PDB file of all heavy atoms in Angstrom:
ATOM      1  N   ALA B  77     -68.986-115.324  67.333  1.00  0.00           N
ATOM      2  CA  ALA B  77     -68.601-116.740  67.283  1.00  0.00           C
ATOM      3  C   ALA B  77     -69.760-117.543  66.687  1.00  0.00           C
ATOM      4  O   ALA B  77     -70.803-116.999  66.376  1.00  0.00           O
ATOM      5  CB  ALA B  77     -68.240-117.239  68.673  1.00  0.00           C
ATOM      6  N   ALA B  79     -71.145-121.035  67.783  1.00  0.00           N
ATOM      7  CA  ALA B  79     -71.250-122.298  68.505  1.00  0.00           C
ATOM      8  C   ALA B  79     -72.443-123.117  68.037  1.00  0.00           C
ATOM      9  O   ALA B  79     -72.646-124.227  68.504  1.00  0.00           O
ATOM     10  CB  ALA B  79     -71.370-122.029  69.999  1.00  0.00           C
ATOM     11  N   LYS B  87     -75.659-120.430  75.933  1.00  0.00           N
ATOM     12  CA  LYS B  87     -74.847-119.360  76.513  1.00  0.00           C
ATOM     13  C   LYS B  87     -75.673-118.099  76.720  1.00  0.00           C
ATOM     14  O   LYS B  87     -75.484-117.370  77.691  1.00  0.00           O
ATOM     15  CB  LYS B  87     -73.700-119.011  75.563  1.00  0.00           C
ATOM     16  CG  LYS B  87     -72.705-120.103  75.374  1.00  0.00           C
ATOM     17  CD  LYS B  87     -71.801-119.693  74.241  1.00  0.00           C
ATOM     18  CE  LYS B  87     -70.450-120.269  74.400  1.00  0.00           C
ATOM     19  NZ  LYS B  87     -69.507-119.587  73.538  1.00  0.00           N
ATOM     20  N   GLU B 174     -70.867-145.459  47.270  1.00  0.00           N
ATOM     21  CA  GLU B 174     -71.276-145.130  48.630  1.00  0.00           C
ATOM     22  C   GLU B 174     -71.602-143.645  48.744  1.00  0.00           C
ATOM     23  O   GLU B 174     -70.872-142.799  48.232  1.00  0.00           O
ATOM     24  CB  GLU B 174     -70.138-145.494  49.581  1.00  0.00           C
ATOM     25  CG  GLU B 174     -70.545-145.550  51.019  1.00  0.00           C
ATOM     26  CD  GLU B 174     -69.374-145.920  51.905  1.00  0.00           C
ATOM     27  OE1 GLU B 174     -68.482-146.651  51.434  1.00  0.00           O
ATOM     28  OE2 GLU B 174     -69.355-145.447  53.055  1.00  0.00           O
ATOM     29  N   GLU B 176     -71.426-140.362  50.483  1.00  0.00           N
ATOM     30  CA  GLU B 176     -70.633-139.708  51.532  1.00  0.00           C
ATOM     31  C   GLU B 176     -71.460-138.573  52.094  1.00  0.00           C
ATOM     32  O   GLU B 176     -71.650-137.550  51.460  1.00  0.00           O
ATOM     33  CB  GLU B 176     -69.332-139.153  50.939  1.00  0.00           C
ATOM     34  CG  GLU B 176     -68.190-140.125  50.858  1.00  0.00           C
ATOM     35  CD  GLU B 176     -67.759-140.642  52.219  1.00  0.00           C
ATOM     36  OE1 GLU B 176     -67.889-139.889  53.217  1.00  0.00           O
ATOM     37  OE2 GLU B 176     -67.311-141.792  52.280  1.00  0.00           O
ATOM     38  N   TYR B 178     -72.483-135.508  54.488  1.00  0.00           N
ATOM     39  CA  TYR B 178     -71.969-134.413  55.313  1.00  0.00           C
ATOM     40  C   TYR B 178     -73.169-133.685  55.892  1.00  0.00           C
ATOM     41  O   TYR B 178     -74.167-133.481  55.198  1.00  0.00           O
ATOM     42  CB  TYR B 178     -71.142-133.433  54.468  1.00  0.00           C
ATOM     43  CG  TYR B 178     -69.807-133.986  54.072  1.00  0.00           C
ATOM     44  CD1 TYR B 178     -69.668-134.782  52.952  1.00  0.00           C
ATOM     45  CD2 TYR B 178     -68.669-133.716  54.830  1.00  0.00           C
ATOM     46  CE1 TYR B 178     -68.440-135.302  52.603  1.00  0.00           C
ATOM     47  CE2 TYR B 178     -67.441-134.226  54.482  1.00  0.00           C
ATOM     48  CZ  TYR B 178     -67.330-135.020  53.361  1.00  0.00           C
ATOM     49  OH  TYR B 178     -66.108-135.528  53.017  1.00  0.00           O
ATOM     50  N   MET B 179     -73.063-133.301  57.157  1.00  0.00           N
ATOM     51  CA  MET B 179     -74.165-132.505  57.699  1.00  0.00           C
ATOM     52  C   MET B 179     -73.691-131.668  58.868  1.00  0.00           C
ATOM     53  O   MET B 179     -72.664-131.951  59.482  1.00  0.00           O
ATOM     54  CB  MET B 179     -75.323-133.409  58.106  1.00  0.00           C
ATOM     55  CG  MET B 179     -75.065-134.274  59.282  1.00  0.00           C
ATOM     56  SD  MET B 179     -76.515-135.321  59.516  1.00  0.00           S
ATOM     57  CE  MET B 179     -76.059-136.051  61.066  1.00  0.00           C
ATOM     58  N   ALA B 182     -74.914-131.228  65.800  1.00  0.00           N
ATOM     59  CA  ALA B 182     -76.176-131.258  66.525  1.00  0.00           C
ATOM     60  C   ALA B 182     -76.526-129.951  67.197  1.00  0.00           C
ATOM     61  O   ALA B 182     -77.670-129.726  67.554  1.00  0.00           O
ATOM     62  CB  ALA B 182     -76.130-132.373  67.568  1.00  0.00           C
ATOM     63  N   ALA B 201     -81.405-138.162  63.281  1.00  0.00           N
ATOM     64  CA  ALA B 201     -80.623-138.252  62.047  1.00  0.00           C
ATOM     65  C   ALA B 201     -79.688-139.435  62.117  1.00  0.00           C
ATOM     66  O   ALA B 201     -79.422-139.979  63.186  1.00  0.00           O
ATOM     67  CB  ALA B 201     -79.815-136.975  61.845  1.00  0.00           C
ATOM     68  N   THR B 202     -79.168-139.794  60.946  1.00  0.00           N
ATOM     69  CA  THR B 202     -78.196-140.874  60.914  1.00  0.00           C
ATOM     70  C   THR B 202     -76.938-140.466  61.671  1.00  0.00           C
ATOM     71  O   THR B 202     -76.577-139.295  61.722  1.00  0.00           O
ATOM     72  CB  THR B 202     -77.828-141.202  59.462  1.00  0.00           C
ATOM     73  OG1 THR B 202     -76.812-142.185  59.465  1.00  0.00           O
ATOM     74  CG2 THR B 202     -77.309-139.973  58.753  1.00  0.00           C
ATOM     75  N   THR B 203     -76.291-141.423  62.285  1.00  0.00           N
ATOM     76  CA  THR B 203     -75.030-141.120  62.950  1.00  0.00           C
ATOM     77  C   THR B 203     -73.847-141.412  62.032  1.00  0.00           C
ATOM     78  O   THR B 203     -72.703-141.299  62.436  1.00  0.00           O
ATOM     79  CB  THR B 203     -74.870-141.950  64.231  1.00  0.00           C
ATOM     80  OG1 THR B 203     -75.002-143.332  63.884  1.00  0.00           O
ATOM     81  CG2 THR B 203     -75.917-141.588  65.254  1.00  0.00           C
ATOM     82  N   HIS B 204     -74.133-141.782  60.781  1.00  0.00           N
ATOM     83  CA  HIS B 204     -73.044-142.187  59.893  1.00  0.00           C
ATOM     84  C   HIS B 204     -72.704-141.105  58.881  1.00  0.00           C
ATOM     85  O   HIS B 204     -72.637-141.351  57.688  1.00  0.00           O
ATOM     86  CB  HIS B 204     -73.427-143.480  59.162  1.00  0.00           C
ATOM     87  CG  HIS B 204     -73.809-144.579  60.101  1.00  0.00           C
ATOM     88  ND1 HIS B 204     -72.925-145.157  60.973  1.00  0.00           N
ATOM     89  CD2 HIS B 204     -74.995-145.184  60.331  1.00  0.00           C
ATOM     90  CE1 HIS B 204     -73.545-146.088  61.677  1.00  0.00           C
ATOM     91  NE2 HIS B 204     -74.795-146.119  61.313  1.00  0.00           N
ATOM     92  N   THR B 206     -70.343-137.308  58.226  1.00  0.00           N
ATOM     93  CA  THR B 206     -69.326-136.386  58.738  1.00  0.00           C
ATOM     94  C   THR B 206     -70.053-135.134  59.151  1.00  0.00           C
ATOM     95  O   THR B 206     -70.731-134.529  58.343  1.00  0.00           O
ATOM     96  CB  THR B 206     -68.319-136.033  57.638  1.00  0.00           C
ATOM     97  OG1 THR B 206     -67.704-137.210  57.185  1.00  0.00           O
ATOM     98  CG2 THR B 206     -67.273-135.087  58.181  1.00  0.00           C
ATOM     99  N   GLN B 207     -69.929-134.779  60.430  1.00  0.00           N
ATOM    100  CA  GLN B 207     -70.650-133.586  60.802  1.00  0.00           C
ATOM    101  C   GLN B 207     -69.723-132.544  61.398  1.00  0.00           C
ATOM    102  O   GLN B 207     -68.734-132.873  62.035  1.00  0.00           O
ATOM    103  CB  GLN B 207     -71.788-133.940  61.745  1.00  0.00           C
ATOM    104  CG  GLN B 207     -71.448-134.982  62.763  1.00  0.00           C
ATOM    105  CD  GLN B 207     -71.249-134.382  64.119  1.00  0.00           C
ATOM    106  OE1 GLN B 207     -71.338-133.186  64.303  1.00  0.00           O
ATOM    107  NE2 GLN B 207     -70.963-135.223  65.075  1.00  0.00           N
ATOM    108  N   GLU B 213     -66.381-126.279  56.508  1.00  0.00           N
ATOM    109  CA  GLU B 213     -65.798-127.615  56.404  1.00  0.00           C
ATOM    110  C   GLU B 213     -66.691-128.525  55.571  1.00  0.00           C
ATOM    111  O   GLU B 213     -66.211-129.383  54.835  1.00  0.00           O
ATOM    112  CB  GLU B 213     -65.611-128.223  57.793  1.00  0.00           C
ATOM    113  CG  GLU B 213     -64.440-127.616  58.536  1.00  0.00           C
ATOM    114  CD  GLU B 213     -64.252-128.226  59.920  1.00  0.00           C
ATOM    115  OE1 GLU B 213     -64.584-129.400  60.105  1.00  0.00           O
ATOM    116  OE2 GLU B 213     -63.779-127.499  60.801  1.00  0.00           O
ATOM    117  N   THR B 216     -66.009-127.740  51.931  1.00  0.00           N
ATOM    118  CA  THR B 216     -64.760-128.359  51.475  1.00  0.00           C
ATOM    119  C   THR B 216     -64.932-129.848  51.271  1.00  0.00           C
ATOM    120  O   THR B 216     -64.422-130.427  50.315  1.00  0.00           O
ATOM    121  CB  THR B 216     -63.655-128.106  52.506  1.00  0.00           C
ATOM    122  OG1 THR B 216     -63.597-126.726  52.792  1.00  0.00           O
ATOM    123  CG2 THR B 216     -62.313-128.562  51.978  1.00  0.00           C
ATOM    124  N   GLY B 217     -65.675-130.484  52.185  1.00  0.00           N
ATOM    125  CA  GLY B 217     -65.859-131.923  52.076  1.00  0.00           C
ATOM    126  C   GLY B 217     -66.634-132.311  50.833  1.00  0.00           C
ATOM    127  O   GLY B 217     -66.224-133.190  50.078  1.00  0.00           O
ATOM    128  N   ALA B 219     -67.140-130.496  48.163  1.00  0.00           N
ATOM    129  CA  ALA B 219     -66.430-130.067  46.957  1.00  0.00           C
ATOM    130  C   ALA B 219     -65.319-131.022  46.597  1.00  0.00           C
ATOM    131  O   ALA B 219     -64.887-131.079  45.444  1.00  0.00           O
ATOM    132  CB  ALA B 219     -65.873-128.665  47.161  1.00  0.00           C
ATOM    133  N   GLY B 220     -64.850-131.795  47.563  1.00  0.00           N
ATOM    134  CA  GLY B 220     -63.705-132.652  47.321  1.00  0.00           C
ATOM    135  C   GLY B 220     -64.042-134.116  47.146  1.00  0.00           C
ATOM    136  O   GLY B 220     -63.162-134.954  47.110  1.00  0.00           O
ATOM    137  N   ASP B 221     -65.305-134.450  47.035  1.00  0.00           N
ATOM    138  CA  ASP B 221     -65.666-135.865  46.981  1.00  0.00           C
ATOM    139  C   ASP B 221     -66.824-136.041  46.013  1.00  0.00           C
ATOM    140  O   ASP B 221     -67.912-135.502  46.225  1.00  0.00           O
ATOM    141  CB  ASP B 221     -66.046-136.327  48.389  1.00  0.00           C
ATOM    142  CG  ASP B 221     -66.196-137.828  48.480  1.00  0.00           C
ATOM    143  OD1 ASP B 221     -66.536-138.487  47.476  1.00  0.00           O
ATOM    144  OD2 ASP B 221     -65.970-138.367  49.584  1.00  0.00           O
ATOM    145  N   VAL B 222     -66.598-136.822  44.952  1.00  0.00           N
ATOM    146  CA  VAL B 222     -67.596-136.945  43.897  1.00  0.00           C
ATOM    147  C   VAL B 222     -68.914-137.522  44.396  1.00  0.00           C
ATOM    148  O   VAL B 222     -69.984-137.209  43.894  1.00  0.00           O
ATOM    149  CB  VAL B 222     -67.023-137.826  42.756  1.00  0.00           C
ATOM    150  CG1 VAL B 222     -68.102-138.263  41.805  1.00  0.00           C
ATOM    151  CG2 VAL B 222     -65.948-137.077  42.018  1.00  0.00           C
ATOM    152  N   ASN B 223     -68.852-138.373  45.404  1.00  0.00           N
ATOM    153  CA  ASN B 223     -70.076-139.031  45.857  1.00  0.00           C
ATOM    154  C   ASN B 223     -70.693-138.383  47.081  1.00  0.00           C
ATOM    155  O   ASN B 223     -71.538-138.976  47.737  1.00  0.00           O
ATOM    156  CB  ASN B 223     -69.771-140.498  46.195  1.00  0.00           C
ATOM    157  CG  ASN B 223     -69.321-141.259  44.975  1.00  0.00           C
ATOM    158  OD1 ASN B 223     -69.984-141.222  43.945  1.00  0.00           O
ATOM    159  ND2 ASN B 223     -68.173-141.913  45.083  1.00  0.00           N
TER     160      ASN B 223
ATOM    161  N   HIS C  62     -68.085-147.730  67.816  1.00  0.00           N
ATOM    162  CA  HIS C  62     -68.831-146.652  67.186  1.00  0.00           C
ATOM    163  C   HIS C  62     -68.774-145.431  68.079  1.00  0.00           C
ATOM    164  O   HIS C  62     -69.081-145.509  69.261  1.00  0.00           O
ATOM    165  CB  HIS C  62     -70.292-147.069  66.966  1.00  0.00           C
ATOM    166  CG  HIS C  62     -71.053-146.079  66.138  1.00  0.00           C
ATOM    167  ND1 HIS C  62     -70.664-145.704  64.885  1.00  0.00           N
ATOM    168  CD2 HIS C  62     -72.172-145.364  66.398  1.00  0.00           C
ATOM    169  CE1 HIS C  62     -71.506-144.811  64.405  1.00  0.00           C
ATOM    170  NE2 HIS C  62     -72.425-144.583  65.298  1.00  0.00           N
ATOM    171  N   SER C  64     -70.057-141.634  68.565  1.00  0.00           N
ATOM    172  CA  SER C  64     -70.936-140.549  68.143  1.00  0.00           C
ATOM    173  C   SER C  64     -71.196-139.687  69.357  1.00  0.00           C
ATOM    174  O   SER C  64     -72.056-139.991  70.177  1.00  0.00           O
ATOM    175  CB  SER C  64     -72.240-141.123  67.582  1.00  0.00           C
ATOM    176  OG  SER C  64     -73.113-140.070  67.258  1.00  0.00           O
ATOM    177  N   LEU C  66     -71.776-136.222  69.361  1.00  0.00           N
ATOM    178  CA  LEU C  66     -72.643-135.057  69.236  1.00  0.00           C
ATOM    179  C   LEU C  66     -73.972-135.371  68.583  1.00  0.00           C
ATOM    180  O   LEU C  66     -74.928-134.637  68.743  1.00  0.00           O
ATOM    181  CB  LEU C  66     -71.927-133.963  68.432  1.00  0.00           C
ATOM    182  CG  LEU C  66     -70.681-133.435  69.128  1.00  0.00           C
ATOM    183  CD1 LEU C  66     -69.931-132.489  68.206  1.00  0.00           C
ATOM    184  CD2 LEU C  66     -71.047-132.714  70.401  1.00  0.00           C
ATOM    185  N   ILE C  67     -74.035-136.442  67.815  1.00  0.00           N
ATOM    186  CA  ILE C  67     -75.321-136.789  67.219  1.00  0.00           C
ATOM    187  C   ILE C  67     -75.949-137.862  68.074  1.00  0.00           C
ATOM    188  O   ILE C  67     -75.308-138.852  68.422  1.00  0.00           O
ATOM    189  CB  ILE C  67     -75.174-137.352  65.793  1.00  0.00           C
ATOM    190  CG1 ILE C  67     -74.187-136.552  64.992  1.00  0.00           C
ATOM    191  CG2 ILE C  67     -76.513-137.363  65.099  1.00  0.00           C
ATOM    192  CD1 ILE C  67     -74.057-137.053  63.583  1.00  0.00           C
ATOM    193  N   LYS C  68     -77.229-137.668  68.405  1.00  0.00           N
ATOM    194  CA  LYS C  68     -77.896-138.695  69.174  1.00  0.00           C
ATOM    195  C   LYS C  68     -78.409-139.771  68.239  1.00  0.00           C
ATOM    196  O   LYS C  68     -78.803-139.481  67.130  1.00  0.00           O
ATOM    197  CB  LYS C  68     -79.044-138.064  69.961  1.00  0.00           C
ATOM    198  CG  LYS C  68     -78.507-136.968  70.856  1.00  0.00           C
ATOM    199  CD  LYS C  68     -79.490-136.591  71.929  1.00  0.00           C
ATOM    200  CE  LYS C  68     -78.895-135.659  72.969  1.00  0.00           C
ATOM    201  NZ  LYS C  68     -78.122-134.561  72.455  1.00  0.00           N
ATOM    202  N   PRO C  69     -78.468-141.047  68.617  1.00  0.00           N
ATOM    203  CA  PRO C  69     -78.103-141.563  69.922  1.00  0.00           C
ATOM    204  C   PRO C  69     -76.589-141.588  70.102  1.00  0.00           C
ATOM    205  O   PRO C  69     -75.850-141.987  69.215  1.00  0.00           O
ATOM    206  CB  PRO C  69     -78.655-142.994  69.907  1.00  0.00           C
ATOM    207  CG  PRO C  69     -78.709-143.363  68.475  1.00  0.00           C
ATOM    208  CD  PRO C  69     -78.943-142.103  67.710  1.00  0.00           C
ATOM    209  N   LEU C 135     -53.988-130.069  52.770  1.00  0.00           N
ATOM    210  CA  LEU C 135     -55.326-129.723  52.310  1.00  0.00           C
ATOM    211  C   LEU C 135     -55.303-129.142  50.908  1.00  0.00           C
ATOM    212  O   LEU C 135     -56.167-129.443  50.083  1.00  0.00           O
ATOM    213  CB  LEU C 135     -55.934-128.707  53.281  1.00  0.00           C
ATOM    214  CG  LEU C 135     -57.321-128.174  52.961  1.00  0.00           C
ATOM    215  CD1 LEU C 135     -58.341-129.275  53.048  1.00  0.00           C
ATOM    216  CD2 LEU C 135     -57.687-127.052  53.932  1.00  0.00           C
ATOM    217  N   ARG C 144     -55.716-137.067  44.545  1.00  0.00           N
ATOM    218  CA  ARG C 144     -56.923-137.260  43.753  1.00  0.00           C
ATOM    219  C   ARG C 144     -56.599-137.501  42.287  1.00  0.00           C
ATOM    220  O   ARG C 144     -57.211-138.353  41.655  1.00  0.00           O
ATOM    221  CB  ARG C 144     -57.873-136.085  43.959  1.00  0.00           C
ATOM    222  CG  ARG C 144     -58.344-135.987  45.401  1.00  0.00           C
ATOM    223  CD  ARG C 144     -59.516-135.043  45.561  1.00  0.00           C
ATOM    224  NE  ARG C 144     -60.729-135.666  45.057  1.00  0.00           N
ATOM    225  CZ  ARG C 144     -61.769-134.981  44.596  1.00  0.00           C
ATOM    226  NH1 ARG C 144     -61.731-133.675  44.558  1.00  0.00           N
ATOM    227  NH2 ARG C 144     -62.846-135.621  44.172  1.00  0.00           N
ATOM    228  N   GLN C 149     -60.431-139.257  40.963  1.00  0.00           N
ATOM    229  CA  GLN C 149     -61.255-138.284  41.664  1.00  0.00           C
ATOM    230  C   GLN C 149     -62.353-138.946  42.467  1.00  0.00           C
ATOM    231  O   GLN C 149     -62.813-138.412  43.463  1.00  0.00           O
ATOM    232  CB  GLN C 149     -61.883-137.300  40.662  1.00  0.00           C
ATOM    233  CG  GLN C 149     -60.871-136.489  39.897  1.00  0.00           C
ATOM    234  CD  GLN C 149     -60.279-135.379  40.742  1.00  0.00           C
ATOM    235  OE1 GLN C 149     -60.852-134.981  41.748  1.00  0.00           O
ATOM    236  NE2 GLN C 149     -59.134-134.872  40.353  1.00  0.00           N
ATOM    237  N   ASP C 150     -62.839-140.118  42.003  1.00  0.00           N
ATOM    238  CA  ASP C 150     -63.920-140.728  42.765  1.00  0.00           C
ATOM    239  C   ASP C 150     -63.426-141.779  43.738  1.00  0.00           C
ATOM    240  O   ASP C 150     -64.212-142.376  44.447  1.00  0.00           O
ATOM    241  CB  ASP C 150     -64.968-141.321  41.818  1.00  0.00           C
ATOM    242  CG  ASP C 150     -64.320-142.081  40.678  1.00  0.00           C
ATOM    243  OD1 ASP C 150     -63.084-142.007  40.531  1.00  0.00           O
ATOM    244  OD2 ASP C 150     -65.044-142.743  39.921  1.00  0.00           O
ATOM    245  N   ILE C 152     -61.049-141.078  46.044  1.00  0.00           N
ATOM    246  CA  ILE C 152     -60.623-140.452  47.298  1.00  0.00           C
ATOM    247  C   ILE C 152     -61.106-139.015  47.332  1.00  0.00           C
ATOM    248  O   ILE C 152     -61.201-138.358  46.308  1.00  0.00           O
ATOM    249  CB  ILE C 152     -59.082-140.540  47.423  1.00  0.00           C
ATOM    250  CG1 ILE C 152     -58.634-140.163  48.836  1.00  0.00           C
ATOM    251  CG2 ILE C 152     -58.389-139.649  46.413  1.00  0.00           C
ATOM    252  CD1 ILE C 152     -57.186-140.484  49.094  1.00  0.00           C
ATOM    253  N   GLY C 153     -61.443-138.552  48.510  1.00  0.00           N
ATOM    254  CA  GLY C 153     -61.952-137.199  48.630  1.00  0.00           C
ATOM    255  C   GLY C 153     -60.881-136.261  49.165  1.00  0.00           C
ATOM    256  O   GLY C 153     -59.723-136.621  49.264  1.00  0.00           O
ATOM    257  N   THR C 154     -61.304-135.051  49.502  1.00  0.00           N
ATOM    258  CA  THR C 154     -60.368-134.074  50.054  1.00  0.00           C
ATOM    259  C   THR C 154     -59.838-134.524  51.407  1.00  0.00           C
ATOM    260  O   THR C 154     -58.668-134.331  51.730  1.00  0.00           O
ATOM    261  CB  THR C 154     -61.060-132.715  50.217  1.00  0.00           C
ATOM    262  OG1 THR C 154     -61.497-132.282  48.947  1.00  0.00           O
ATOM    263  CG2 THR C 154     -60.117-131.692  50.804  1.00  0.00           C
ATOM    264  N   PHE C 155     -60.721-135.111  52.211  1.00  0.00           N
ATOM    265  CA  PHE C 155     -60.303-135.547  53.547  1.00  0.00           C
ATOM    266  C   PHE C 155     -60.054-137.046  53.519  1.00  0.00           C
ATOM    267  O   PHE C 155     -60.917-137.817  53.122  1.00  0.00           O
ATOM    268  CB  PHE C 155     -61.387-135.241  54.573  1.00  0.00           C
ATOM    269  CG  PHE C 155     -61.673-133.775  54.715  1.00  0.00           C
ATOM    270  CD1 PHE C 155     -62.953-133.284  54.512  1.00  0.00           C
ATOM    271  CD2 PHE C 155     -60.679-132.884  55.070  1.00  0.00           C
ATOM    272  CE1 PHE C 155     -63.230-131.934  54.656  1.00  0.00           C
ATOM    273  CE2 PHE C 155     -60.950-131.530  55.206  1.00  0.00           C
ATOM    274  CZ  PHE C 155     -62.232-131.056  55.003  1.00  0.00           C
ATOM    275  N   THR C 238     -63.738-135.362  59.940  1.00  0.00           N
ATOM    276  CA  THR C 238     -64.409-135.545  61.229  1.00  0.00           C
ATOM    277  C   THR C 238     -65.415-136.680  61.131  1.00  0.00           C
ATOM    278  O   THR C 238     -66.592-136.515  61.418  1.00  0.00           O
ATOM    279  CB  THR C 238     -65.143-134.260  61.644  1.00  0.00           C
ATOM    280  OG1 THR C 238     -65.903-133.792  60.526  1.00  0.00           O
ATOM    281  CG2 THR C 238     -64.175-133.198  62.053  1.00  0.00           C
ATOM    282  N   LYS C 239     -64.944-137.832  60.694  1.00  0.00           N
ATOM    283  CA  LYS C 239     -65.877-138.948  60.556  1.00  0.00           C
ATOM    284  C   LYS C 239     -65.333-140.135  61.328  1.00  0.00           C
ATOM    285  O   LYS C 239     -64.634-140.979  60.755  1.00  0.00           O
ATOM    286  CB  LYS C 239     -66.024-139.288  59.074  1.00  0.00           C
ATOM    287  CG  LYS C 239     -67.122-140.260  58.786  1.00  0.00           C
ATOM    288  CD  LYS C 239     -67.330-140.403  57.297  1.00  0.00           C
ATOM    289  CE  LYS C 239     -68.380-141.469  57.054  1.00  0.00           C
ATOM    290  NZ  LYS C 239     -68.383-141.936  55.684  1.00  0.00           N
ATOM    291  N   GLN C 241     -64.771-143.528  62.515  1.00  0.00           N
ATOM    292  CA  GLN C 241     -65.241-144.851  62.114  1.00  0.00           C
ATOM    293  C   GLN C 241     -64.074-145.811  62.203  1.00  0.00           C
ATOM    294  O   GLN C 241     -62.920-145.428  62.032  1.00  0.00           O
ATOM    295  CB  GLN C 241     -65.786-144.822  60.682  1.00  0.00           C
ATOM    296  CG  GLN C 241     -64.853-144.224  59.659  1.00  0.00           C
ATOM    297  CD  GLN C 241     -65.324-144.441  58.239  1.00  0.00           C
ATOM    298  OE1 GLN C 241     -66.012-145.400  57.938  1.00  0.00           O
ATOM    299  NE2 GLN C 241     -64.958-143.549  57.344  1.00  0.00           N
ATOM    300  N   GLU C 248     -60.408-143.446  53.168  1.00  0.00           N
ATOM    301  CA  GLU C 248     -61.576-142.970  53.895  1.00  0.00           C
ATOM    302  C   GLU C 248     -61.230-141.770  54.764  1.00  0.00           C
ATOM    303  O   GLU C 248     -60.102-141.635  55.237  1.00  0.00           O
ATOM    304  CB  GLU C 248     -62.098-144.082  54.817  1.00  0.00           C
ATOM    305  CG  GLU C 248     -62.878-145.150  54.122  1.00  0.00           C
ATOM    306  CD  GLU C 248     -64.301-144.702  53.829  1.00  0.00           C
ATOM    307  OE1 GLU C 248     -64.828-143.865  54.580  1.00  0.00           O
ATOM    308  OE2 GLU C 248     -64.869-145.187  52.855  1.00  0.00           O
ATOM    309  N   GLN C 259     -62.400-130.700  68.043  1.00  0.00           N
ATOM    310  CA  GLN C 259     -63.775-130.483  67.596  1.00  0.00           C
ATOM    311  C   GLN C 259     -64.677-130.127  68.768  1.00  0.00           C
ATOM    312  O   GLN C 259     -65.499-129.214  68.688  1.00  0.00           O
ATOM    313  CB  GLN C 259     -64.300-131.750  66.907  1.00  0.00           C
ATOM    314  CG  GLN C 259     -65.701-131.583  66.368  1.00  0.00           C
ATOM    315  CD  GLN C 259     -66.300-132.886  65.870  1.00  0.00           C
ATOM    316  OE1 GLN C 259     -65.879-133.971  66.245  1.00  0.00           O
ATOM    317  NE2 GLN C 259     -67.294-132.778  65.025  1.00  0.00           N
ATOM    318  N   GLY C 263     -66.414-126.382  69.310  1.00  0.00           N
ATOM    319  CA  GLY C 263     -67.861-126.309  69.355  1.00  0.00           C
ATOM    320  C   GLY C 263     -68.376-125.729  70.656  1.00  0.00           C
ATOM    321  O   GLY C 263     -69.544-125.489  70.807  1.00  0.00           O
ATOM    322  N   GLU C 264     -67.492-125.502  71.596  1.00  0.00           N
ATOM    323  CA  GLU C 264     -67.851-124.863  72.857  1.00  0.00           C
ATOM    324  C   GLU C 264     -69.018-125.556  73.519  1.00  0.00           C
ATOM    325  O   GLU C 264     -70.042-124.965  73.810  1.00  0.00           O
ATOM    326  CB  GLU C 264     -68.146-123.374  72.643  1.00  0.00           C
ATOM    327  CG  GLU C 264     -66.939-122.696  72.006  1.00  0.00           C
ATOM    328  CD  GLU C 264     -67.069-121.194  71.958  1.00  0.00           C
ATOM    329  OE1 GLU C 264     -67.274-120.601  73.020  1.00  0.00           O
ATOM    330  OE2 GLU C 264     -66.974-120.632  70.874  1.00  0.00           O
TER     331      GLU C 264
END
Side-chain angles (χ1 to χ4, degrees):
Chain B
K87 294 170 151 196
E174 195 180 330
E176 274 299 329
Y178 287 85
M179 69 184 188
T202 176
T203 55
H204 305 294
T206 301
Q207 40 105 359
E213 285 180 30
T216 308
D221 190 332
V222 166
N223 297 309
Chain C
H62 189 57
S64 176
L66 296 173
I67 317 182
K68 302 197 171 45
L135 178 66
R144 297 193 75 206
Q149 298 284 340
D150 44 351
I152 192 169
T154 300
F155 298 123
T238 48
K239 190 172 176 196
Q241 52 170 332
E248 283 281 332
Q259 182 188 21
E264 303 189 56

